[in-house]
Amino acid sequence: MAPESTTLTTRVESGSPYQLEKSQVLKASAALLQHIKSESKRKALESNTKSLLTASDESADEIDGVESEPVWLVLTTKKHVVDQKRLKPGKIPLPHSLHKSTSSTICLITADPQRAFKDTIAHPSFPVTLASQITRVIGLGKVAKRYKSFESRRQLLSEHDVFLADDRIITRLPKLLGKIFYGGSKRPIPVNLQPYKPKGDVASAIPKDSASKLVASPIQVTKEVETAISCAQIHLAPSTTTSIRVGSSTFTAQQIAENVEAVVEGMAKKYVSKGWRNIRSIHIKGPNTMALPLWLASELWQEEKDVLENEEAKAALELASQKGGKRKGREEEVETPQKKIKQTKRVEDSDLSAEMAERRAKLRQQKKEAKAEVAGVVERKKKPKKLDPDTGKVRVKTKKVKTILASA
């Protein structure tokens, strides 16, 4: 019997190898969704309790009593994507929105003053369904004043499903909202709320008030909000691994596969330098599952010049060792003055200790002599004295004893 194949991914039959195999993506998506749903049902049966965080039956976050879990795309590169962390995330349009439920609530964080943005949402030309979803509009100043404690931030996080923020203040929110917002999947999504006039749109309705220069028209705000909700957020950091949310366990395998293909194509074209040549592997996973491979690179280098021959590799190693030796020598040169200072301190300490020992010896000798002198005076006092012929009593020289004792 022929042995089974141990390959993790399948190669494309035709064309460039730097592309996803659709059948592999669909197969992995179906297997991951099946595993997530089976594990959720097993845990629900074991606990026999319903989570208080689950949504209602009308929302799209729960199907058949199973709580929704996010699905992540893990993209690993051969070199770092960026040199420093970016607080403002990027966006890639998805064919299937992550927030497709009409019952989800939205909190809009705006620049000050917030009244102009509230008037824009309340404008008659703003869609009613979208306006009903935006349940709160709050300015940056009120966020800084009201939500200083951890409990208030956690309450704000639990009251809304989606958080949108003006891209002019998006970089100031991590300090105000803290890690409770930026540690999960409810990070504020940047939205462009600045007024601009699209080409060919002459009848754009802009509210004519004192703050009309700060906020865009209702039509433009609607377009920006809908675009932001239907996009995947790309949070770039100086590392070789990037995780992107591409769906949830309530999606179908086909929807997950289409979102994965859109995100991978957008990452290779816009965010990853050198495109597919810099991508090492692509996986999908759940929050508590193993990562399923979708694509693996056949080489670990980005360009042919990154690969060295044996002689070149030896030369590079020797050069690195020489640089390391020079660096050690410089460190020793820097450390020698410190060592000299330490040695001089040790010499001074030893001299001081010797002087203190001499002083102690002298004091001990003086104490011994004083004790011996006192003992001799007492002995002389105890010796029998001659009687005085006039009084018939012992003659004692008290004055001399007193003076000796006082001097001792």
Side-chain angles (χ1 to χ4, degrees):
M1 185 175 179
E4 296 181 356
S5 176
T6 59
T7 57
L8 295 177
T9 59
T10 57
R11 295 294 178 184
V12 292
E13 298 178 356
S14 61
S16 173
Y18 298 107
Q19 57 178 319
L20 290 175
E21 179 67 27
K22 294 184 178 182
S23 61
Q24 175 76 10
V25 177
L26 187 60
K27 189 197 313 183
S29 301
L32 180 63
L33 292 176
Q34 183 179 1
H35 177 72
I36 291 176
K37 291 178 181 178
S38 61
E39 285 294 315
S40 300
K41 288 181 180 179
R42 183 182 63 81
K43 291 179 181 179
L45 292 174
E46 288 178 357
S47 61
N48 291 325
T49 57
K50 187 176 180 180
S51 176
L52 297 177
L53 298 177
T54 54
S56 60
D57 294 334
E58 297 178 358
S59 67
D61 293 335
E62 184 181 354
I63 293 179
D64 297 333
V66 179
E67 186 179 355
S68 173
E69 294 186 3
V71 176
W72 299 89
L73 172 72
V74 182
L75 188 140
T76 306
T77 56
K78 300 171 185 177
K79 294 183 179 180
H80 287 190
V81 181
V82 290
D83 296 333
Q84 59 184 0
K85 189 174 182 179
R86 298 181 182 178
L87 295 177
K88 186 175 180 179
K91 293 183 287 187
I92 295 178
L94 295 176
H96 305 283
S97 175
L98 301 177
H99 309 284
K100 57 184 179 180
S101 175
T102 56
S103 61
S104 59
T105 59
I106 299 174
C107 176
L108 181 62
I109 304 174
T110 65
D112 294 326
Q114 63 181 11
R115 173 51 56 186
F117 299 92
K118 288 184 177 180
D119 294 341
T120 302
I121 295 174
H123 198 269
S125 60
F126 198 86
V128 179
T129 55
L130 187 59
S132 62
Q133 286 185 265
I134 303 176
T135 56
R136 176 176 292 184
V137 179
I138 184 169
L140 184 66
K142 289 189 177 180
V143 172
K145 291 180 181 179
R146 294 182 180 178
Y147 302 99
K148 293 182 179 180
S149 64
F150 179 81
E151 294 295 332
S152 60
R153 294 174 183 176
R154 187 170 63 177
Q155 183 179 1
L156 177 64
L157 182 69
S158 62
E159 289 176 352
H160 304 281
D161 301 324
V162 183
F163 289 87
L164 303 178
D166 194 341
D167 58 356
R168 291 172 289 186
I169 61 168
I170 193 69
T171 56
R172 301 171 61 183
L173 292 179
K175 186 177 180 180
L176 298 177
L177 297 178
K179 63 180 181 180
I180 188 172
F181 271 81
Y182 287 84
S185 58
K186 286 188 179 182
R187 294 185 180 185
I189 303 171
V191 182
N192 184 15
L193 299 179
Q194 298 183 20
Y196 67 96
K197 190 174 181 180
K199 295 181 180 180
D201 188 5
V202 181
S204 59
I206 300 178
K208 296 182 179 181
D209 53 3
S210 58
S212 60
K213 296 181 180 180
L214 298 175
V215 62
S217 65
I219 298 175
Q220 296 167 8
V221 172
T222 303
K223 182 181 178 182
E224 290 293 334
V225 170
E226 291 177 348
T227 303
I229 292 176
S230 61
C231 287
Q233 307 304 309
I234 312 299
H235 300 277
L236 299 178
S239 64
T240 57
T241 303
T242 305
S243 298
I244 307 154
R245 187 181 177 186
V246 293
S248 65
S249 58
T250 59
F251 283 32
T252 63
Q254 186 65 31
Q255 291 175 341
I256 295 288
E258 292 177 0
N259 283 357
V260 165
E261 293 174 2
V263 170
V264 171
E265 184 179 358
M267 288 290 294
K269 288 183 178 180
K270 189 175 181 181
Y271 296 103
V272 179
S273 60
K274 303 293 182 179
W276 279 92
R277 295 287 297 177
N278 194 17
I279 297 177
R280 184 173 182 177
S281 63
I282 301 173
H283 296 75
I284 58 170
K285 68 183 295 294
N288 300 312
T289 65
M290 297 291 290
L292 300 181
L294 301 180
W295 186 86
L296 300 175
S298 57
E299 67 277 351
L300 301 179
W301 56 89
Q302 182 176 343
E303 297 179 358
E304 295 296 334
K305 64 180 181 180
D306 296 335
V307 183
L308 301 178
E309 299 293 339
N310 293 332
E311 297 178 358
E312 294 178 353
K314 290 180 181 178
L317 290 174
E318 291 178 359
L319 183 61
S321 62
Q322 291 176 2
K323 288 182 178 179
K326 290 180 181 179
R327 190 176 300 168
K328 289 181 181 179
R330 291 175 182 174
E331 291 176 357
E332 291 177 356
E333 291 177 0
V334 173
E335 290 177 358
T336 47
Q338 296 178 356
K339 289 182 179 179
K340 289 181 180 179
I341 293 171
K342 289 181 180 179
Q343 289 176 359
T344 53
K345 285 184 178 180
R346 289 176 184 173
V347 172
E348 292 176 357
D349 293 341
S350 61
D351 295 341
L352 183 61
S353 61
E355 186 178 355
M356 293 295 294
E358 291 179 0
R359 290 182 181 180
R360 288 171 186 167
K362 287 182 181 179
L363 289 173
R364 288 172 186 169
Q365 187 64 27
Q366 290 176 0
K367 288 181 180 179
K368 286 181 180 180
E369 292 176 356
K371 287 181 180 180
E373 189 175 358
V374 171
V377 171
V378 173
E379 287 178 359
R380 287 198 301 270
K381 183 179 178 181
K382 289 182 179 181
K383 287 180 181 180
K385 301 294 181 179
K386 294 180 181 181
L387 296 175
D388 190 357
D390 297 333
T391 59
K393 294 182 180 181
V394 178
R395 189 181 295 174
V396 181
K397 298 179 180 179
T398 56
K399 291 182 180 179
K400 188 175 181 182
V401 174
K402 286 181 179 180
T403 54
I404 292 171
L405 289 172
S407 62

